[in-house]
Structure formats: C-alpha cells, structure tokens
Amino acid sequence: SQGQRRKVKVWSDGCYDMVHFGHANSLRQAKALGDYLIVGVHNDKDISIHKGPPVFTEQERYKMVRGIKWVDEVVESAPYIPSPDTLDQYDCDFCVHGDDITMTADGLDAYHLLKSAGRYREVSRTAGVSTTDVVGRMLLLTREHFRRDFLEYDVDRASTTGSDSVPGSPWTETSQFLTTTAKILNFSNGKEPKPGDKIVYAAGAFDIFHVGHLDFLEQASKLGDFLIVGLHTDTVVNKYKGSNQPIMNLHERSLSVLACKYVSEVVIGAPRVVTEGLMEHFKVDVVCHGKTQTADITGSSDPYLVPKKQGKFVIVDSKNDMTTEKILYRIITHRLEY
Ligand code: CTP
Ligand code: C5P
C-alpha cells in the first residue's frame, strides 16, 4: 500500500551461552540497522563440535534470547555456518555480527558465505565482557573464596541507604568493563509510567542474569503495568549472598536487567530494606519477591516489613529453580571441558 516501505529484516546468530550484556548490546545494534530482528541460536550439538559444550542448555539459551527486548523472533537450532539460503528462508536482508572472527572446528570463518554474498555487516563488540571471562570469574572466585572469608565490612549503613558501590569492589574487581552513561542510556527504555499505571517493584541481586530471573520477572511484570527492578549494591549482595558474590558488578547487573523485555526501569543501587520513602518515591502499588529465601546469612530483619504492613506484598512463583550457585556447580563439574 502507498507510503508503506518494506520492512528491513535483520539476522543475527550465535551461541548466546551465559548470555550477558555484551550479547544484548550486539542485538541492540543489530536491531537499529533494520526494523525487525530475527536471532538464530545454535543447538548444543553444533556448539559442542565447534566450540566445546555450553553451560546453558539450548532450551535455556533460546528462552534467554527471547527475553531480550530488541529481539523479535528466535530461530532454534540455527546453522553454525549461515548461508544466503538461511537468510532467504527467513526473509532477512543481511546478517549482523560483532567484529570478532568466529571460527568453525575446521578453522573456517563461519560467515564466509554471507561475506562473499555481500550480506554481512559488523557492529562493534562490547569490550570487557565475554562468556569465557564470566566463567573465568566464577572459577577464580571459588578459589579466592576461602582467602577472602576473613574480610569484614561495615555494611549496616549500606543496607538501608543503598549507597553507591564502586565497580572494582573486592568481589567484582576482576571485571574489565567500564560503564558509561551513554551505555546506560542506550539500554534504557527512557519511559516514565503513564498516569494510572500500576507500579510493581522487585529488588534483588540478579547476579549472572539467568532463566530463573527471567521467569521471575515475567511473573512480576504481570502484576502491573510498569516493573521497576531495584538492584542491591555489591556490598549489600555480598553481605547476604556470601563471600564470593556478586560475580557481576552493580553496573553490569544493571545493563543485564535493563536488556530484559519485562523490565521498565532499574534502580542502580537500591536499599535492601524497602522503606516507606521508597514506596512513596516510586508510587509503588505492589512489591514482590520470588520463593527463594529473603532472610540473609547475617540474620537481619525482614526487608519487606513496610510493604507487608501496607498490604502490598506478594510472593511470586517463578516455577524455576535455577540459581547462581547451580550455574557455578555446572561450571565446576565440567571445568575440564571448558
Ligand atoms: N558479542 C559482542 N560483545 C561481546 C560478546 C559477544 O558483541 N562482548 C557478540 C558477538 O560478536 C556475536 C554475538 O554477540 O555477534 C553472539 O556471540 P556468541 O556466538 O554467543 O559468541 P561469542 O562471540 O564467542 O561470545 P563470548 O565471547 O561472550 O562467548
Ligand atoms: O537471588 P536474587 O536476588 O538474584 O533473586 C532476585 C529475585 O528473583 C528474587 O525475588 C528471587 O526470589 C527471584 N528468583 C526466582 N526464581 C529463581 C531465582 C530467583 O523467583 N529461580
């Protein structure tokens, strides 16, 4: 019809194992090059052949990529070496990939067919984060765990004020990523709640953003119209999760949560205790938490006393038992394979 131009469909593909904000950032840039983004995700068998076994199963990886807000569609078991036929099959114009070379098991450039067909475009890779790096941090921190046990911090104040946390705190100092306001702006929805919107608030660590978090946030978002996620500082997270966590620093966790399609806004460094002031400030209608424990290792008081008294507290069932500890366990039991 008149005035309607054909939509530009973009193809992106990859493993998306332990999906991180670097992956999300490449998909954000890919989407910006067209109107509609289709992401091909490789299956476990192909990844094992070309790269070694992934930490997350294909079902988990498909779900995580579907949860990223710039993704319109996911193609499961996408070919490791995409061809012009692959793109035609999904009506895609070109493929977008980060500016690193992806090699097949035979040492071939996985994109050679698309490159020679002129249907390959590059975006810049996000420096300072990769699946290998995150796995490395997890292994390093399990070793450091015992050495760091003696460290003690006065975090009582931090747990109620949500004071700033410097990336490079003792638990996240291995991070090589530098956060800029531009990056946060790129990831942000930039939208305020509309008048009458029901505001939902959920707070937590959201370390190594995983399928359990994703399912939780999906349920949380169904409780209202505008979901605000409060991220605890590294200091606070360390206090209740133990001496080797968090693995991702506050800024990295912020970007991962912002990339999630169910999230409207993020509080970068939220107080552990949900106060009356916070409820008023964000005009919160309902506060929720998953079925995981809220009591922390220090035995401090219930952070949800205020919303409970106001009759605004809800427990949400993510129906998913994934935890950061489980991921760590998978990595450690398979460490020889990585
Ligand atoms: N990507 C990126 N920035 C990163 C990591 C990945 O832009 N820090 C991009 C890749 O360039 C690719 C897409 O994310 O376009 C999917 O990457 P994937 O196949 O999952 O693997 P890797 O590139 O190996 O990612 P990683 O190094 O994290 O394992
Ligand atoms: O543990 P963390 O603070 O990262 O959890 C953030 C929120 O996600 C919490 O409300 C927790 O109960 C919820 N969650 C869940 N199911 C999981 C993992 C986390 O509901 N498998």
Side-chain angles (χ1 to χ4, degrees):
S1 63
Q2 233 190 349
Q4 285 229 326
R5 78 182 164 86
R6 194 190 147 271
K7 277 190 175 173
V8 174
K9 285 192 174 179
V10 181
W11 173 270
S12 256
D13 56 18
C15 310
Y16 304 97
D17 192 23
M18 307 214 20
V19 78
H20 49 67
F21 57 91
H23 294 128
N25 193 38
S26 79
L27 297 175
R28 178 187 67 78
Q29 297 175 84
K31 175 68 175 267
L33 293 174
D35 307 294
Y36 192 85
L37 175 63
I38 302 183
V39 183
V41 181
H42 311 312
N43 64 29
D44 294 344
K45 190 171 142 264
D46 287 346
I47 297 176
S48 298
I49 293 170
H50 293 284
K51 226 179 156 173
V55 179
F56 284 111
T57 67
E58 55 203 27
Q59 291 309 326
E60 290 167 337
R61 291 181 294 103
Y62 299 153
K63 186 181 223 166
M64 289 305 285
V65 176
R66 283 197 179 96
I68 295 175
K69 65 184 173 190
W70 298 287
V71 176
D72 295 297
E73 209 178 307
V74 162
V75 170
E76 303 183 356
S77 282
Y80 207 85
I81 305 173
S83 66
D85 282 347
T86 316
L87 268 59
D88 289 342
Q89 198 184 335
Y90 298 98
D91 198 25
C92 288
D93 299 75
F94 52 84
C95 167
V96 173
H97 190 265
D99 53 1
D100 52 315
I101 295 177
T102 306
M103 290 287 187
T104 66
D106 314 318
L108 273 174
D109 177 349
Y111 296 96
H112 70 281
L113 298 173
L114 293 180
K115 282 179 180 171
S116 48
R119 293 174 75 177
Y120 176 86
R121 294 210 197 166
E122 245 164 34
V123 293
S124 46
R125 207 178 142 86
T126 305
V129 65
S130 67
T131 301
T132 319
D133 161 63
V134 176
V135 168
R137 288 192 212 179
M138 294 183 96
L139 290 175
L140 179 75
L141 287 163
T142 40
R143 274 202 301 274
E144 297 275 292
H145 180 101
F146 298 102
R147 260 193 278 161
R148 291 214 170 138
D149 252 356
F150 69 91
L151 289 177
E152 273 191 24
Y153 289 83
D154 176 11
V155 287
D156 281 337
R157 214 170 55 83
S159 70
T160 53
T161 59
S163 65
D164 191 20
S165 162
V166 183
S169 76
W171 316 285
T172 57
E173 68 192 3
T174 49
S175 168
Q176 296 294 309
F177 179 69
L178 299 169
T179 324
T180 59
T181 52
K183 185 69 92 256
I184 291 175
L185 195 63
N186 280 336
F187 272 58
S188 165
N189 293 358
K191 284 198 189 108
E192 307 230 344
K194 294 187 292 294
D197 270 0
K198 191 171 176 190
I199 316 261
V200 184
Y201 181 77
F206 297 92
D207 195 19
I208 312 287
F209 195 72
H210 55 64
V211 279
H213 292 133
L214 186 64
D215 284 341
F216 167 74
L217 293 174
E218 180 177 8
Q219 295 309 317
S221 71
K222 287 181 181 162
L223 297 172
D225 311 293
F226 194 91
L227 174 60
I228 303 177
V229 178
L231 291 178
H232 297 145
T233 62
D234 296 350
T235 316
V236 169
V237 173
N238 181 259
K239 190 182 178 186
Y240 66 77
K241 292 267 181 180
S243 55
N244 60 343
Q245 290 182 53
I247 283 143
M248 306 296 272
N249 73 40
L250 176 62
H251 295 163
E252 296 176 305
R253 290 183 283 119
S254 299
L255 292 176
S256 293
V257 172
L258 270 177
C260 173
K261 67 179 177 189
Y262 304 115
V263 177
S264 313
E265 185 59 287
V266 163
V267 181
I268 306 172
R272 199 186 75 90
V273 176
V274 179
T275 60
E276 255 166 59
L278 185 142
M279 297 293 288
E280 241 168 69
H281 185 98
F282 293 112
K283 302 195 165 49
V284 177
D285 295 295
V286 52
V287 175
C288 63
H289 191 94
K291 287 194 141 178
T292 62
Q293 271 195 336
T294 54
D296 62 46
I297 52 170
T298 59
S300 20
S301 60
D302 182 354
Y304 298 116
L305 272 179
V306 168
K308 279 178 182 169
K309 270 191 201 141
Q310 296 180 350
K312 291 179 174 173
F313 183 76
V314 175
I315 294 275
V316 158
D317 188 359
S318 68
K319 299 195 171 69
N320 193 314
D321 61 2
M322 182 60 77
T323 58
T324 306
E325 288 74 16
K326 267 199 176 171
I327 301 170
L328 200 54
Y329 182 77
R330 284 191 195 177
I331 290 172
I332 291 166
T333 52
H334 289 92
R335 64 191 301 169
L336 290 175
E337 293 173 68
Y338 297 121

